[in-house]
Amino acid sequence: MTFIPDFATIVQFALATFVISITPGPDMTLFVGRALSQGRAAGFACMFGAMTGIMIHTALVALGLSALIVASPEAFLALKVFGAGYLIWLAVQAIRKGSAFTPDNKGGSGRSLLKNWATGLGINLLNPKIILFFMTFLPQFVSANDPDAPGKLFFLGLLFIPLALPIVAPMVIAADSFSKFLKKSPRVTRVVDYLFAGVFSAFALKILTAQAR
């Protein structure tokens, strides 16, 4: 199968994926926040939404469409504004209502899980740093002269998901367990609301200052 890179490349990619997965970002903040607020299922729904976004980013990189977005200052600016605005909206919701991070709110319905999936997908797709990451990260493991480069880009992009899951999933599970403690302490819960709002605001600022070149 020519679309599968050699073993040495896969090992290097796996090590890089590990480092990236343990680095905090908007996606991880969302997973943990929803697990704290609505339980493990909601956290995983957001996580799978972000994973869906990764598949879309992989396809865009492999097909060369992301290069067009990054090369266009107008498109890149619009992406930054929408992505940062979305994060700021979530931060405001956490402060005003606590609805995103209050563990008393349970959302076990399929509609709630679908909304959480869509939220995870939206944050992932609207984060220009994700596009820049995949634009610069994936090509490092594929030769530009390789005729099978598109297939290998698809393979590595999809491989990122099963490699990251064993690292990300335990964090969601641990957050769900921690929510039991938060239920007993409303004051601590409110501190968590402000904490996550601050983190989302910080990520929004980073997104707005992201450079295409």
Side-chain angles (χ1 to χ4, degrees):
M1 292 181 284
T2 58
F3 63 87
I4 299 180
D6 58 71
F7 181 73
T9 299
I10 292 178
V11 170
Q12 294 172 11
F13 182 80
L15 291 175
T17 299
F18 173 78
V19 174
I20 292 163
S21 298
I22 63 176
T23 303
D27 289 352
M28 178 59 68
T29 302
L30 178 68
F31 306 159
V32 173
R34 288 302 165 87
L36 286 173
S37 66
Q38 300 177 21
R40 188 176 300 172
F44 278 120
C46 288
M47 183 183 72
F48 287 123
M51 296 301 177
T52 303
I54 288 175
M55 289 190 286
I56 294 175
H57 283 302
T58 298
L60 289 175
V61 170
L63 296 175
L65 298 181
S66 289
L68 297 178
I69 296 177
V70 176
S72 170
E74 295 79 11
F76 191 73
L77 176 61
L79 188 65
K80 289 198 295 183
V81 171
F82 277 113
Y86 192 33
L87 290 177
I88 291 173
W89 180 81
L90 290 176
V92 171
Q93 287 295 101
I95 297 298
R96 290 183 62 238
K97 302 179 180 179
S99 58
F101 305 106
T102 302
D104 288 330
N105 294 338
K106 289 292 180 182
S109 67
R111 181 178 175 81
S112 295
L113 292 179
L114 180 60
K115 286 183 177 180
N116 282 317
W117 174 86
T119 299
L121 175 64
I123 280 192
N124 188 274
L125 291 181
L126 292 176
N127 187 349
K129 286 199 169 184
I130 298 293
I131 289 182
L132 293 176
F133 164 72
F134 275 90
M135 281 287 296
T136 57
F137 179 68
L138 287 182
Q140 301 300 320
F141 300 91
V142 177
S143 173
N145 299 321
D146 190 341
D148 300 312
K152 289 181 178 179
L153 286 172
F154 270 115
F155 178 84
L156 291 173
L158 297 180
L159 181 62
F160 183 91
I161 296 176
L163 289 176
L165 277 177
I167 302 169
V168 177
M171 295 183 184
V172 175
I173 295 173
D176 182 46
S177 300
F178 183 61
S179 68
K180 296 177 181 178
F181 165 74
L182 292 181
K183 289 180 182 179
K184 301 177 182 179
S185 181
R187 186 171 299 178
V188 174
T189 299
R190 196 56 183 155
V191 171
V192 172
D193 286 337
Y194 278 93
L195 175 63
F196 277 108
V199 171
F200 273 129
S201 297
F203 283 129
L205 179 61
K206 287 186 178 182
I207 285 176
L208 286 173
T209 58
Q211 298 297 316
R213 294 182 177 87

